[in-house]
Amino acid sequence: MIKANGNDITVKIGRFGSEAQSVNLPKDSTIQAALSEAGIRLGEEEKVWVNGERATSRDILEDGDVVNVVSPKEAGA
Amino acid sequence: MATTLGTIEEKPVVKRSFSSWLKAYKVEITSVQEKLIKSQHTAIERNEEQIKVLKERSDASSEVIQVHISNYQKSNRQSREKQAKAANILNRMDLDEKKLLKKLKAHSMIQSITVGSDGYLSVFTKMLKWKTTNIGKFRICLSAGSGLRLYVFNLTYSQENRLDHWAIQHNEPCLGEYTDIVWDNIYRGEIYLFIDSMIHFITMAGDDGAYTDRDDWFDERTKLTADQAKKKSGVSERLLRSPRRIMMSMNPISSEESSFQLAYDAYDAYMQRTRSSVLIEETDL
């Protein structure tokens, strides 16, 4: 990963049904910025989780964070 | 190992580390991706043969033959895309042991992680909730080394012939719409996302097509909790006849929490007794 400067962070974004991708962002970037960078627009039912906790798009990310964009699904056959 | 009459056979204990589990896991998914690349290569070759045969036909320029050729070419494009994806997964696979463990340990719903001598990575969760109601502490296991197998145990509300969860029976999750999400993460080497998605499955999965209705499972769980509370050793008959006294002595958040705690303590003791026979040796990570 090529970092533009020492302040950059790398986060991984997973989304139910899509391949996970890593994005490089400036330090103190929000989840919204990370999602935009990954080309993700949240659907109505989609919720964002970071480190097992519910997060909002304004939350600040740290280097190495894994963002999981989750939507309700059915169990069963 | 040789056994002598009158002595107990001692099985060799093979301690497994997270690093050895990761190595075995990496071998498993590499093999899966390589098989995929190979099978796509075979499919492409077969299609190329078909295209060659079709082009050599006297009616090769007819519309029907052109449609067939176009379909084979489309299929080949898709196969090449799959091959490229699989190769990309192999090149990008980031299974840094320290980073992964650090991330997993920082997960707010994970209590501990162990690797058993049986080759299973076990992730023990904290008490999970469906909305605001406790549904138990769970153990999510993924084997590596002799095939990838996934098991989930409810360590709090489970008993023989009862479901661990509305979508988990005999420790096997009925993933439904979560199947691709979970297994894609496993095959792509995304262990953290796999565990996180399993926790979301446990706490969020709907019950359409699950083993039972969620409400029915909650009813069963309540009965189980009551049964376990009755069997709780050290609680006198007098106390059992006086639920209020139990609640006063427990000092938990709510009455529901107190009976859960009683049930959990009893079940925890049971699990401590039985776990040693299930997992010969575990390495805390």
Side-chain angles (χ1 to χ4, degrees), chain B residues 13-178:
Chain B
V13 173
V14 184
K15 282 200 175 188
R16 295 282 299 267
S17 64
F18 186 57
S19 124
S20 68
W21 182 88
L22 265 184
K23 202 181 276 180
Y25 168 70
K26 199 171 178 177
V27 169
E28 294 267 11
I29 53 175
T30 301
S31 156
V32 168
Q33 298 300 342
E34 281 177 350
K35 270 183 197 162
L36 179 77
I37 292 172
K38 205 175 168 185
S39 71
Q40 295 305 318
H41 180 74
T42 311
I44 290 169
E45 276 188 343
R46 202 173 49 233
N47 287 346
E48 292 292 353
E49 282 287 318
Q50 291 298 325
I51 291 169
K52 197 179 166 192
V53 169
L54 288 171
K55 280 184 175 172
E56 284 169 359
R57 283 174 62 133
S58 57
D59 56 349
S61 57
S62 73
E63 198 178 331
V64 179
I65 299 298
Q66 286 301 313
V67 168
H68 279 306
I69 291 173
S70 167
N71 285 342
Y72 282 124
Q73 285 169 337
K74 191 180 168 189
S75 169
N76 276 358
R77 275 197 300 276
Q78 288 169 344
S79 292
R80 286 193 184 97
E81 277 172 20
K82 284 180 190 171
Q83 276 186 318
K85 268 190 181 178
N88 197 26
I89 288 167
L90 291 177
N91 291 334
R92 278 187 343 172
M93 202 158 35
D94 177 19
L95 291 172
D96 185 303
E97 182 191 341
K98 282 183 185 167
K99 273 191 205 168
L100 184 55
L101 257 183
K102 195 179 163 191
K103 269 191 278 181
L104 283 171
K105 284 179 175 176
H107 195 290
S108 68
M109 292 293 134
I110 293 174
Q111 188 162 307
S112 61
I113 305 150
T114 64
V115 173
S117 57
D118 51 6
Y120 278 87
L121 171 76
S122 291
V123 175
F124 293 86
T125 73
K126 293 179 183 168
M127 180 62 80
L128 300 181
K129 291 175 189 286
W130 166 263
K131 292 182 179 170
T132 55
T133 311
N134 290 341
I135 53 174
K137 290 186 179 186
F138 285 80
R139 176 181 165 197
I140 301 163
C141 300
L142 183 68
S143 72
S146 52
L148 292 165
R149 282 190 296 274
L150 171 63
Y151 293 106
V152 183
F153 300 78
N154 187 333
L155 302 176
T156 315
Y157 308 115
S158 180
Q159 218 171 44
E160 208 175 341
N161 301 324
R162 281 182 167 154
L163 297 174
D164 295 83
H165 180 272
W166 52 94
I168 303 171
Q169 189 176 42
H170 304 310
N171 313 119
E172 291 190 15
C174 186
L175 293 167
E177 291 177 352
Y178 287 81

Side-chain angles (χ1 to χ4, degrees), chain A residues 12-22 47 49-53 64-68 70-77, chain B residues 85 88 92 103 106-109 167 174-178 181 188 190 192-193 196-197 200-201 204-210:
Chain A
K12 184 168 272 183
I13 304 181
R15 189 188 200 187
F16 274 17
S18 307
E19 204 172 325
Q21 52 180 312
S22 289
K47 310 280 181 215
W49 295 76
V50 180
N51 299 336
E53 289 177 6
D65 275 345
V66 181
V67 178
N68 202 359
V70 173
S71 49
K73 302 277 177 198
E74 293 295 337
Chain B
K85 268 190 181 178
N88 197 26
R92 278 187 343 172
K103 269 191 278 181
H107 195 290
S108 68
M109 292 293 134
C174 186
L175 293 167
E177 291 177 352
Y178 287 81
I181 295 157
R188 285 177 187 151
E190 301 286 358
Y192 182 92
L193 282 170
D196 193 53
S197 299
H200 292 304
F201 161 75
M204 291 172 64
D207 56 1
D208 187 19

